[in-house]
């Protein structure tokens, strides 16, 4: 018998990380992030503490687990846009693709965004991915517009798009009801009223 009290019986049980994340995020959303321990999550998800930490080394990792998938969808969609397409049109389409979450993760994404909204300290864990995504956008806009990547207008416009998409997703999580997240992002980016090739108006 294992010294941890976990006795293997036949084939090891497969643990679904998405299911565990959903259990955790429901707890965080209901009780507050700081009030829920990893032991609480393990108990509610019916997994061992050891298995939980193997999947998620920190409590914050339970929150940010889906960010890379969003970034991957966005980056792939951006790379697939026609070479002669306007930068704004391409970014708009890529963000819509990124925000088109699979139905199986819509609920977990809504809880995830709510928890992040209520706990600003969690931003630190997701900051590197967000920064990399913004850098990708800056480089893309600079290439399409023929401007330097350190151009002020290019940087401001790229960050404006990133901020608008982020704000839209947070709004969707809090107030979106049955709306599709990609539709909310689509509407938000339309509010910018710019093609990234002319000054913002």
């Amino acid at each position: 018998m294992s010294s941890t009290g976990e006795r293997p019986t036949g084939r090891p049980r497969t643990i679904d990380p998405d299911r565990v994340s959903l259990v955790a995020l429901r707890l965080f959303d209901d009780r507050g992030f700081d009030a829920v321990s990893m032991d609480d999550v393990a108990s509610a998800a019916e997994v061992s503490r050891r298995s939980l930490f193997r999947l998620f080394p920190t409590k914050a990792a339970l929150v940010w687990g889906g960010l890379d998938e969003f970034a991957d969808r966005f980056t792939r969609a951006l790379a697939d846009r026609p070479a002669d397409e306007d930068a704004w049109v391409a970014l708009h389409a890529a963000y819509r693709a990124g925000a088109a979450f699979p139905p199986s993760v819509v609920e977990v994404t809504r809880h995830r965004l709510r928890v992040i909204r209520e706990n600003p300290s969690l931003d630190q864990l997701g900051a590197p991915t967000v920064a990399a995504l913004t850098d990708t956008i800056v480089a893309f806009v600079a290439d399409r517009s023929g401007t330097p990547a350190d151009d002020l207008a290019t940087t401001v416009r790229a960050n404006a798009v990133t901020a608008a998409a982020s704000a839209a997703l947070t709004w969707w999580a809090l107030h979106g009801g049955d709306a599709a997240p990609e539709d909310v992002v689509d509407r938000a980016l339309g509010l910018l009223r710019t093609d990234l090739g002319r000054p913002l108006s």
Side-chain angles (χ1 to χ4, degrees):
M1 179 181 293
S2 167
S3 60
T4 63
E6 297 179 82
R7 184 176 60 192
T9 54
R11 180 177 297 177
R13 176 180 148 194
T14 300
I15 299 174
D16 180 3
D18 289 336
R19 184 190 71 81
V20 175
S21 289
L22 179 56
V23 170
L25 287 162
R26 282 172 174 167
L27 290 174
F28 298 155
D29 205 3
D30 290 344
R31 302 184 196 173
F33 181 76
D34 292 333
V36 178
S37 69
M38 289 293 269
D39 284 339
D40 293 332
V41 173
S43 177
E46 299 182 330
V47 300
S48 70
R49 192 172 188 274
R50 184 176 64 181
S51 295
L52 178 62
F53 274 101
R54 187 165 58 244
L55 289 171
F56 302 98
T58 66
K59 192 165 69 165
L62 283 157
V63 178
W64 281 105
L67 181 60
D68 288 340
E69 286 82 358
F70 170 88
D72 286 345
R73 281 195 305 275
F74 171 84
T75 304
R76 286 197 305 270
L78 196 61
D80 289 342
R81 302 309 300 174
D84 59 349
E85 187 174 49
D86 178 83
W88 166 250
V89 175
L91 281 172
H92 198 135
Y95 258 113
R96 182 177 176 86
F101 299 100
S104 61
V105 300
V106 167
E107 182 185 356
V108 72
T109 300
R110 193 186 295 273
H111 284 295
R112 176 176 289 123
L113 292 169
R114 287 176 179 170
V115 171
I116 292 170
R117 170 72 163 71
E118 292 300 317
N119 298 272
S121 63
L122 291 172
D123 284 341
Q124 292 183 351
L125 189 63
T129 301
V130 173
L133 198 62
T134 304
D135 288 345
T136 296
I137 293 172
V138 170
F140 179 84
V141 174
D143 180 65
R144 289 290 173 103
S145 62
T147 59
D150 60 355
D151 176 69
L152 175 61
T154 298
T155 301
V156 169
R157 288 170 181 144
N159 278 272
V161 172
T162 303
S166 177
L169 286 171
T170 299
W171 182 91
W172 164 78
L174 296 171
H175 311 293
D178 293 332
E182 62 269 30
D183 289 341
V184 174
V185 169
D186 193 64
R187 286 164 49 200
L189 295 183
L191 294 174
L192 291 180
R193 299 180 185 278
T194 177
D195 63 0
L196 292 184
R198 295 192 294 269
L200 293 169
S201 59

